[in-house]
Amino acid sequence: MKRILITGGAGFIGSHLCERLLREGNDIICLDNYFTGTKQNVAHLLDNPYFELVRHDVCTPYLAEVDEIYNLACPASPIHYQYNGIKTIKTSVIGTMNMLGLAKRVKAKLLQASTSEVYGDPSIHPQVESYWGNVNCIGERSCYDEGKRCAEALCLNYHRQNGVKVKIIRIFNTYGPKMHPNDGRVVSNFIMQALQNKDITVAGNGSQTRSFQYIDDLLNGMIKMMNTSDDSFIGPVNIGNPSEFTILELAQKVIDLTNSKSKIVYIPLPSDDPLQRKPDITLAKETLKWQPIIPLDEGLKKTIAYFDTLLKETKICQQSH
Ligand code: NAD
Ligand code: UDP
């Protein structure tokens, strides 16, 4: 049994990871400050004696004897990470430094949840790990992008200077049940809008592309990376689904799958919104023997079912008040 600390464990990805690693027989500490995550995401795990939920902010040091740390704490949606950009930078930089300090002290292995955002608005397509990126360091997304880039730099420096075992994955757009309904990300927005027959808000002309990965595929890649026995293999490794869609295609797909009466409306494109994004996953295929297996339609159906239930429960709740 491994003792595993998951920071940001009450968020979308973190709560799925807690569930999965607990099921695999590990002892889990889930640490979160509930900025975007919720207790409800992990409430069903609270009765398990091998699960501990801790309210804590990673910007303050934390000490626990653990074997592995999955460092996920950081808001991921542009709306949320831009709400308090300074805090986002602190979380990525000071938070990651605190977790690397902990890893150094207790000799734990740390996996850093980095992001495709380190490539910025990429001039290379698809994005390979050796591409250094095209990030506007003073733009509205920079608190997230530069914070995550600095976190990667910190990981490498703790490894080189102090021999800390680190693994870095660059996660591409991931979706699935337990995303926050008001998270602002495109998949949750479109599904919530379609289920309520509200207008679907496509940014710009919808020709920008993203590659959407279902949560289960991400978890498989993430855990495989943490478990690689070769400590000299640090990454970064892209973990994403290379099937690329325009945002307009996604909108149409969601309308079709929900039989929605929603109309598509166009809203202004946010600044520095990357035009295209698609991972090159050759490295993950070769080193981790990993690739995503869940097609977009299948993942969307599961996610739609989740939001549908959520909306019905909210309605029942409102009626009973
Ligand atoms: P999320 O917002 O659902 O989860 C982030 C969690 O971190 C939340 O529970 C939040 O409350 C917690 N948190 C934020 N600041 C904290 C702090 N200072 N101290 C403690 N907890 C804090 O987002 P997610 O989609 O689950 O993302 C998880 C990680 O994966 C993030 O680091 C994100 O950057 C990375 N990532 C996600 C995606 C994606 O598509 N979902 C893509 C690339 C990278
Ligand atoms: N987007 C959109 N409508 C929305 C929310 C997002 O068209 O209601 C667009 C957004 O401008 C971007 C893409 O969808 O081009 C993905 O946005 P998201 O916030 O999900 O993730 P990121 O930009 O970080 O990839």
Side-chain angles (χ1 to χ4, degrees):
M1 180 181 273
K2 285 188 286 197
R3 297 159 304 173
I4 302 177
L5 171 65
I6 303 176
T7 75
F12 159 51
I13 297 172
S15 57
H16 283 278
L17 188 64
C18 287
E19 217 170 80
R20 169 81 177 264
L21 292 174
L22 202 55
R23 203 166 56 230
E24 290 180 0
N26 299 291
D27 193 342
I28 306 295
I29 301 176
C30 166
L31 185 150
D32 209 293
N33 70 349
Y34 307 126
F35 175 52
T36 49
T38 60
K39 276 188 196 168
Q40 287 93 309
N41 278 343
V42 288
H44 60 298
L45 306 176
L46 289 171
D47 286 343
N48 190 315
Y50 296 106
F51 181 78
E52 254 173 280
L53 179 59
V54 180
R55 182 196 289 263
H56 185 85
D57 191 310
V58 287
C59 297
T60 303
Y62 177 76
L63 185 60
E65 292 290 333
V66 290
D67 305 301
E68 291 179 353
I69 303 167
Y70 285 83
N71 190 34
L72 270 59
C74 186
S77 147
I79 293 178
H80 288 133
Y81 68 63
Q82 286 169 23
Y83 171 75
N84 183 345
I86 299 168
K87 178 70 189 186
T88 301
I89 295 175
K90 281 188 182 171
T91 297
S92 275
V93 178
I94 300 174
T96 303
M97 213 185 286
N98 284 333
M99 290 307 124
L100 285 162
L102 171 62
K104 177 182 159 191
R105 186 162 171 179
V106 302
K107 297 192 172 26
K109 199 194 300 186
L110 180 143
L111 180 138
Q112 173 63 14
S114 191
T115 166
S116 53
E117 283 288 316
V118 300
Y119 300 122
D121 191 5
S123 50
I124 282 189
H125 197 70
Q127 291 79 57
V128 278
E129 289 87 348
S130 53
Y131 175 53
W132 290 353
N134 175 32
V135 172
N136 174 2
C137 66
I138 53 169
E140 281 170 16
R141 296 171 86 102
S142 66
C143 55
Y144 183 71
D145 300 5
E146 295 294 359
K148 288 284 186 178
R149 286 166 70 93
C150 183
E152 286 197 14
L154 281 168
C155 288
L156 263 299
N157 281 284
Y158 269 79
H159 174 73
R160 291 190 194 112
Q161 250 172 273
N162 302 118
V164 175
K165 293 176 193 164
V166 290
K167 305 271 172 192
I168 301 170
I169 57 167
R170 290 183 178 155
I171 304 171
F172 282 65
N173 294 63
T174 304
Y175 69 98
K178 290 201 210 168
M179 287 181 92
H180 197 289
N182 302 322
D183 185 79
R185 277 181 278 188
V186 69
V187 175
S188 45
N189 264 13
F190 285 2
I191 295 178
M192 286 295 287
Q193 290 164 342
L195 287 172
Q196 298 171 96
N197 295 312
K198 292 183 176 166
D199 289 345
I200 305 271
T201 52
V202 168
N205 61 11
S207 63
Q208 69 274 33
T209 68
R210 293 293 187 272
S211 306
F212 300 101
Q213 152 173 256
Y214 189 66
I215 181 71
D216 292 0
D217 282 331
L218 167 65
L219 294 185
N220 291 339
M222 201 176 224
I223 294 169
K224 275 195 167 189
M225 180 61 174
M226 178 62 110
N227 291 342
T228 45
S229 51
D230 179 3
D231 290 337
S232 67
F233 181 62
I234 290 169
V237 183
N238 289 338
I239 300 288
N241 191 321
S243 313
E244 186 182 9
F245 296 87
T246 66
I247 294 304
L248 204 49
E249 283 171 334
L250 176 73
Q252 199 51 59
K253 233 179 218 308
V254 170
I255 291 175
D256 294 345
L257 290 171
T258 49
N259 287 321
S260 174
K261 297 189 185 73
S262 294
K263 289 193 307 293
I264 290 175
V265 297
Y266 295 89
I267 57 170
L269 193 67
S271 67
D272 295 332
D273 199 282
L275 282 180
Q276 50 183 5
R277 201 184 277 152
K278 168 181 168 153
D280 180 315
I281 57 164
T282 312
L283 184 64
K285 277 185 180 166
E286 284 173 0
T287 54
L288 306 177
K289 310 285 174 250
W290 171 91
Q291 62 179 0
I293 50 171
I294 300 174
L296 183 59
D297 278 42
E298 189 184 327
L300 281 178
K301 280 181 197 161
K302 293 182 188 190
T303 314
I304 289 166
Y306 167 79
F307 281 115
D308 196 31
T309 309
L310 198 72
L311 276 169
K312 283 178 183 141
E313 280 171 2
T314 316
K315 222 176 256 171
I316 292 168
C317 213
Q318 278 165 352
Q319 280 163 2
S320 62
H321 275 76

